[in-house]
Amino acid sequence: MTKQQLPSWADPSVHPADLDAQGVSRRGLLRRAGLFGAAFALGSAATPAFASSGKRAFGGDDPRLAYLVGDHHVHSVYSHDAKYTFSQQAQAAARYGLDWMVFNEHSNFGHAYYGAKMEHAEIVKARAENPRQLIFQGLEWYIPAAEHCTVFAAPGPHETDLLTQFELAYDGKLLNYTEGSAGAADTARNEAHAVKAIKWLAEQRRSGYVDDVLVLANHPLRLGIDSPHEMRGWRDAAPEIMIGMEGAPGAQGAALPGWRGATSIRGEYENKPSAQSWSGYPTDAYVTYGGFDWASATVGGLWDSMLAEGSLFSITTNSDNHRTVFDTWKNGDWPAGQNFDNTGKLPDPVNTDTPQPGSDFWPGEFSRTHVGVTRYGYRAVMAGLRAGRVWVDHGHLLDGLDVRVKRDCDAGRGVTLGGRLRVRKGERITLYVTVTSASRANPQGILPELAHVDVIRGAVRGPVSDRDGWKAPDTRVVQTKDVSGRKGTYTLRIPLTAGDESFYVRLRGSDGKRHGAGYLGASVDPHGPIPHEPGDGDPWADTWFYSNPVFVDVAGA
C-alpha cells in the first residue's frame, strides 16, 4: 500500500498560508488536543492516548482526540444505478474536506463476479493518487427481509474477498430473501439469515481473516421495513460489528425547490407503508425531520429507545452519492452486447454541459460524519466509529465539537462521546460542551451560525421486554442553551446530578431557522426538527448537528 500522508491541515510541513480558514481552524483544534504532526501520525507511541485508566472503580477514560471528517456511503461506476468514476468522487471529497470515505457499491451479481475485483484495483490506484485521504472498499448490502447496510473492511489482503464472499452468501436480493412482511412463510428464515450474516462477519474479524469490519444500517425508515426487533437483533448479534445507523440519509438535495417536483422530500423519503413495512410505524415516520430520519429525529423515539437499554448504537450522516444535483454529466453508452450484469461496471460518464437529474450532494459538500481518533489511519477511524466517538452536521454548521462528562471531584477530563462514566448516586457531575463555530462560508456561500444547543437526557432501564418498542418515555430535552452570535471556540458548562437511575445525555443543535414541537410533543421536545412541505425543502436553510450519547452509570442502579 502507498505510504499514507497526513491531511494538509494536520501536516506540519504544510504552511498555514496554504490552508483555507477551516483548515486553519482544524489545525488549531488538533494542536489543542496535543496530537499535531508526529503525535497524530504515531498516536499513542508519541503521546498518551488516555490520561486516566479505564480500570478505576469510578470515573472513566479521557482520550485526547482529533476529529476526522468522512462519509461511509458513496457510489461509483461500480454500482448499477450510479454515475461517477473513483477519481471524480475522490477529487470532490478532497475539495470539500473529507479525510476518509467508503465506496459501498450495491450488491449485484455483476458486482460480485466482475466488479468487486476491478473496483479494488481502482481503490488501490485512488489511494495512491490521493495519499492524504483514507479510502475504504465497501458494499451496500441488501439485508434479508429489510433495507440496506454499509459493510466495509480495513485494507488488507482479504478486504475484497471478504466482501464478495459475504455478498454471495448473505445478500437478500441475490438470494431472493427479500420477503419481510408479517406472517409470511419466509420472513422468519430471512430475518434469521440477516443475523447469521452479521455473526459471520464477526467471526472473520475474530479469526484474523480481516483486521476489522463494520456494518451500519442505511436510510432505516425510508421504506419502514427495518422493524425495531430486527434492528435490535442485528445489534445484539455482534455489537462490535453492527454499530449503528444513518441518523440522516443522503440525497439531501432531493427537495430543492423547483428541481425534482412538487412531491419531493429530503433524503428521497417519499414512500408510503407497504405490505413489507412494519405495521407499528406511523405514517409520519416515512419523511425526514430537518433532514434527519424519524428514528433519530424523534426525541424519545426509536433511537432513544435503543439507547435507553444502555447499549451504544451510533448515528452517522453521508451523501449516498449517485447523481449530484445540478451536475452536467450523464452515463456513457454501453458498447454492443455489454451490460452491468456481464461487466460489473458502468461506462464512464460523459459531460453534456446541461444539468442532469439528481438528488445528491458530493461527498462532504453537505453531510459530514466526524469521528474522534487518537491517531491517523484506517484502523483508527474504524476504532473511533466502534467507540461511538461521533458527531454529525449538515451544511458545515460547526468547525468542531468536543463533549466531556466528568465528576466534579475528578482532575481528569472525563469521558467523551460513546463513553461511560461511573458515578455514585447523588454525585455532582458536569457536562462540558466545547463548540468551535464555522470559520468560513460553506459550499453554498453561507457562513453558518449555530443558534442553540439542546441537551437531551434519558433514563437507562436495561433490555426491553418488547423488542418492537420504539418509545423511550423518560427521554426529553432538559436544557437549551442560546448561543446565537457566539463565535470562535467556547465551552458550555452544564451541571448534572446523578439520581437513582443510570442515564445518558446527547446533544443536538441547529441554525434556528426551522423548528417546532417534536413528534412526541412540546413537553418532550419544545423546538425540534420538523418536516418541510413537499417540493420545498432547501437543505441549506435548515441545518442541524447531532452527537452520539455519553452514558452515566450510577453505582447500585
Side-chain angles (χ1 to χ4, degrees):
M1 186 186 302
T2 302
K3 179 175 171 55
Q4 200 70 44
Q5 297 180 28
L6 290 174
S8 297
W9 55 271
D11 188 344
S13 68
V14 177
H15 194 276
D18 295 327
L19 302 175
D20 64 16
Q22 193 170 64
V24 172
S25 177
R26 295 186 72 191
R27 178 170 288 192
L29 294 171
L30 189 65
R31 285 186 183 277
R32 282 196 286 275
L35 291 172
F36 190 53
F40 193 31
L42 301 175
S44 58
T47 189
F50 297 95
S52 60
S53 170
K55 297 180 180 179
R56 294 167 53 194
F58 289 89
D61 290 331
D62 61 345
R64 297 180 179 275
L65 299 176
Y67 278 86
L68 298 180
V69 183
D71 185 327
H72 70 79
H73 195 166
V74 180
H75 295 273
S76 77
V77 289
Y78 292 96
S79 284
H80 66 277
D81 58 351
K83 182 164 58 172
Y84 305 110
T85 65
F86 272 57
S87 179
Q88 286 175 298
Q89 293 285 32
Q91 288 175 20
R95 184 164 67 249
Y96 294 114
L98 286 195
D99 303 308
W100 62 272
M101 62 192 301
V102 180
F103 284 99
N104 67 326
E105 313 297 357
H106 285 290
S107 60
N108 183 289
F109 284 117
H111 178 262
Y113 293 141
Y114 309 107
K117 290 183 180 179
M118 292 189 296
E119 177 192 355
H120 182 70
E122 290 215 46
I123 287 267
V124 173
K125 179 182 176 184
R127 288 168 180 163
E129 292 175 345
N130 302 275
R132 295 190 188 275
Q133 285 182 319
L134 303 171
I135 300 176
F136 293 89
Q137 183 170 3
L139 172 75
E140 186 155 23
W141 173 39
Y142 290 68
I143 313 167
E147 257 278 11
H148 301 167
C149 269
T150 291
V151 181
F152 69 104
H158 301 301
E159 60 182 310
T160 306
D161 290 342
L162 173 91
L163 296 172
T164 53
Q165 288 179 54
F166 180 80
E167 186 173 7
L168 291 169
Y170 295 107
D171 188 80
K173 183 176 74 170
L174 271 56
L175 296 173
N176 197 27
Y177 278 22
T178 57
E179 179 61 65
S181 56
D186 291 336
T187 295
R189 177 202 66 182
N190 297 347
E191 290 185 0
H193 202 67
V195 169
K196 183 180 177 182
I198 294 168
K199 290 181 177 180
W200 182 84
L201 289 173
E203 179 55 33
Q204 307 318 301
R205 178 173 180 259
R206 252 190 318 269
S207 70
Y209 186 68
V210 289
D211 286 341
D212 209 350
V213 60
L214 293 175
V215 180
L216 289 147
N218 296 339
H219 34 73
L221 266 292
R222 181 181 65 166
L223 300 172
I225 62 176
D226 288 3
S227 66
H229 74 262
E230 286 175 285
M231 294 178 73
R232 287 184 166 98
W234 307 332
R235 176 202 64 191
D236 295 347
E240 75 281 11
I241 303 297
M242 179 67 195
I243 61 169
M245 64 180 179
E246 289 180 358
Q252 287 287 319
L256 282 164
W259 185 231
R260 285 182 67 249
T263 60
S264 300
I265 301 292
R266 284 173 70 176
E268 295 185 356
Y269 272 43
E270 299 157 7
N271 304 286
K272 302 295 183 185
S274 70
Q276 298 290 323
S277 304
W278 182 65
S279 61
Y281 289 135
T283 55
D284 296 322
Y286 291 78
V287 299
T288 50
Y289 291 68
F292 278 71
D293 190 292
W294 175 86
S296 52
T298 301
V299 174
L302 178 56
W303 184 34
D304 284 316
S305 76
M306 296 179 74
L307 298 179
E309 295 181 71
S311 297
L312 177 64
F313 200 68
S314 293
I315 62 166
T316 61
T317 186
N318 47 69
S319 63
D320 193 1
N321 185 279
H322 293 74
R323 300 173 183 274
T324 302
V325 290
F326 307 123
D327 172 56
T328 58
W329 294 74
K330 74 176 184 69
N331 288 104
D333 296 324
W334 286 106
Q338 292 188 10
N339 57 48
F340 195 89
D341 287 340
N342 64 28
T343 65
K345 178 181 181 293
L346 297 170
D348 285 351
V350 177
N351 194 0
T352 68
D353 296 321
T354 302
Q356 300 294 305
S359 298
D360 313 325
F361 290 108
W362 289 113
E365 183 179 5
F366 183 76
S367 303
R368 304 188 302 177
T369 295
H370 306 254
V371 180
V373 300
T374 57
R375 61 168 296 171
Y376 183 69
Y378 287 93
R379 294 180 68 181
V381 168
M382 299 181 82
L385 285 166
R386 176 175 288 109
R389 300 190 294 256
V390 174
W391 64 275
V392 304
D393 72 341
H394 281 166
H396 296 220
L397 183 57
L398 302 176
D399 273 8
L401 181 73
D402 187 75
V403 180
R404 304 281 167 170
V405 180
K406 66 182 289 286
R407 303 191 308 157
D408 290 357
C409 63
D410 275 351
R413 300 201 334 271
V415 302
T416 191
L417 302 174
R420 314 189 79 92
L421 180 71
R422 184 167 170 79
V423 302
R424 298 180 178 87
K425 177 183 174 181
E427 195 161 22
R428 289 190 295 183
I429 56 181
T430 300
L431 167 64
Y432 296 87
V433 182
T434 300
V435 175
T436 300
S437 65
S439 58
R440 65 169 181 179
N442 63 24
Q444 187 68 1
I446 300 166
L447 178 61
E449 296 185 21
L450 183 65
H452 62 96
V453 174
D454 302 324
V455 180
I456 299 165
R457 177 170 172 162
V460 170
R461 298 284 174 78
V464 292
S465 56
D466 178 8
R467 301 275 286 179
D468 273 325
W470 63 262
K471 291 183 180 179
D474 297 299
T475 300
R476 64 195 65 250
V477 176
V478 293
Q479 281 199 53
T480 293
K481 295 290 187 180
D482 185 344
V483 297
S484 301
R486 299 193 70 168
K487 302 293 184 184
T489 298
Y490 54 90
T491 299
L492 307 174
R493 294 169 177 81
I494 300 160
L496 301 171
T497 301
D500 294 330
E501 293 182 297
S502 297
F503 65 96
Y504 65 91
V505 289
R506 61 181 182 89
L507 300 168
R508 182 192 70 187
S510 83
D511 57 17
K513 295 175 181 175
R514 294 191 75 248
H515 54 76
Y519 185 75
L520 294 179
S523 62
V524 173
D525 184 6
H527 46 258
I530 57 176
H532 62 77
E533 290 298 319
D536 187 20
D538 182 355
W540 301 101
D542 183 18
T543 58
W544 294 75
F545 87 83
Y546 283 58
S547 85
N548 257 354
V550 179
F551 291 93
V552 179
D553 297 329
V554 179

